[in-house]
């Protein structure tokens, strides 16, 4: 985290292009690092049978609405979220890159080489952040720490999902949808990007 954070700072006096390149490079290192961390976490969680059973027993003794003991995997993901993704020197470049990618995606629809490449980056980032969107350990409140799940959602996940919703309502099969026709398209849940069904009053 420290090496990524130190290398993610904007170059003093650098151009917007240099900052964008640095932010994109940081995203690549983050995604690669998260893949490595995920494999390590899976090995650890799968090789600590005694500890896993003790955690499961503790979780089983807690009521679901007051449960505050995370699984080993959830605890590891929450730790990565707090220590790495939400580190100020990483969170800010990610937020900037999401904003840049969103602007390109909504302008070109993901159908040019550049906007398509940036769209794939948003999809990859969304996949990683979705895995990190685990419930906070309630014991952190007792230790005086701040929950990080809400911050992840507000700073990074919500802007990502908003971009996807806007893209689904503005583009279809490489064609920009005229504003007057966007009401015919559905931009949520499973029907994203499909023409909305409606009943013909004459058939009622």
């Amino acid at each position: 985290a420290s090496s990524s954070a130190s290398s993610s700072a904007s170059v003093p006096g650098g151009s917007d292009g240099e900052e964008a390149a640095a932010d994109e490079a940081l995203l690549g290192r983050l995604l690669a690092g998260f893949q490595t961390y995920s494999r390590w976490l899976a090995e650890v969680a799968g090789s600590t049978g005694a500890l896993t059973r003790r955690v499961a027993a503790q979780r089983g003794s807690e009521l679901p609405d007051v449960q505050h003991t995370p699984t080993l995997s959830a605890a590891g993901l929450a730790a990565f979220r707090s220590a790495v993704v939400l580190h100020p020197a990483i969170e800010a470049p990610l937020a900037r890159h999401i904003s840049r990618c969103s602007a390109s995606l909504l302008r070109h629809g993901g159908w040019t080489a550049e906007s398509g490449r940036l769209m794939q980056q948003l999809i990859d980032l969304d996949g990683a952040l979705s895995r990190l969107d685990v419930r906070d350990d309630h014991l952190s409140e007792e230790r005086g720490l701040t929950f990080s799940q809400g911050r992840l959602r507000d700073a990074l996940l919500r802007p990502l999902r908003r971009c996807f919703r806007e893209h689904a309502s503005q583009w279809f099969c490489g064609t920009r949808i005229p504003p007057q026709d966007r009401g015919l398209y559905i931009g949520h849940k499973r029907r994203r990007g499909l023409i909305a069904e409606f009943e013909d009053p004459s058939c009622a």
Side-chain angles (χ1 to χ4, degrees):
S2 59
S3 61
S4 297
S6 61
S7 61
S8 65
S10 301
V11 179
S15 65
D16 291 342
E18 291 174 333
E19 181 183 70
D23 293 348
E24 184 172 351
L26 173 67
L27 172 62
R29 294 194 300 274
L30 175 69
L31 293 176
F34 181 60
Q35 287 182 347
T36 301
Y37 180 83
S38 296
R39 289 194 295 269
W40 172 83
L41 181 61
E43 291 180 4
V44 170
S47 61
T48 53
L51 179 58
T52 299
R53 288 191 292 272
R54 290 186 61 183
V55 170
Q58 176 62 32
R59 287 171 57 84
S61 67
E62 299 169 351
L63 296 176
D65 56 342
V66 295
Q67 191 172 77
H68 56 238
T69 301
T71 64
L72 294 180
S73 295
L77 292 172
F80 188 93
R81 176 182 67 204
S82 299
V84 180
V85 175
L86 295 179
H87 188 290
I90 295 179
E91 178 187 340
L94 288 180
R96 288 196 301 264
H97 195 62
I98 290 173
S99 179
R100 292 192 197 96
C101 290
S102 298
S104 175
L105 181 58
L106 295 178
R107 186 181 306 114
H108 302 291
W111 295 94
T112 64
E114 177 66 8
S115 68
R117 183 179 65 83
L118 297 178
M119 181 179 188
Q120 186 60 53
Q121 290 182 4
L122 291 184
I123 293 172
D124 293 342
L125 178 58
D126 181 74
L129 296 183
S130 295
R131 286 199 60 202
L132 293 169
D133 187 27
V134 295
R135 186 175 62 84
D136 278 288
D137 174 9
H138 292 298
L139 289 178
S140 62
E141 185 176 33
E142 298 176 12
R143 295 196 301 266
L145 303 179
T146 303
F147 284 175
S148 59
Q149 184 182 33
R151 181 174 157 194
L152 177 82
R153 292 178 173 180
D154 292 341
L156 301 174
L157 269 175
R158 285 197 172 94
L160 265 175
R161 303 293 168 75
R162 182 167 58 248
C163 172
F164 292 151
R165 288 196 304 271
E166 291 178 0
H167 176 266
S169 67
Q170 296 179 22
W171 288 86
F172 183 71
C173 293
T175 302
R176 186 186 291 276
I177 304 171
Q180 65 272 20
D181 294 337
R182 290 176 185 171
L184 299 176
Y185 287 76
I186 294 177
H188 61 83
K189 296 184 179 179
R190 297 182 179 178
R191 308 177 65 89
R192 185 171 300 159
L194 301 178
I195 294 179
E197 293 182 351
F198 60 91
E199 294 184 0
D200 188 341
S202 62
C203 299

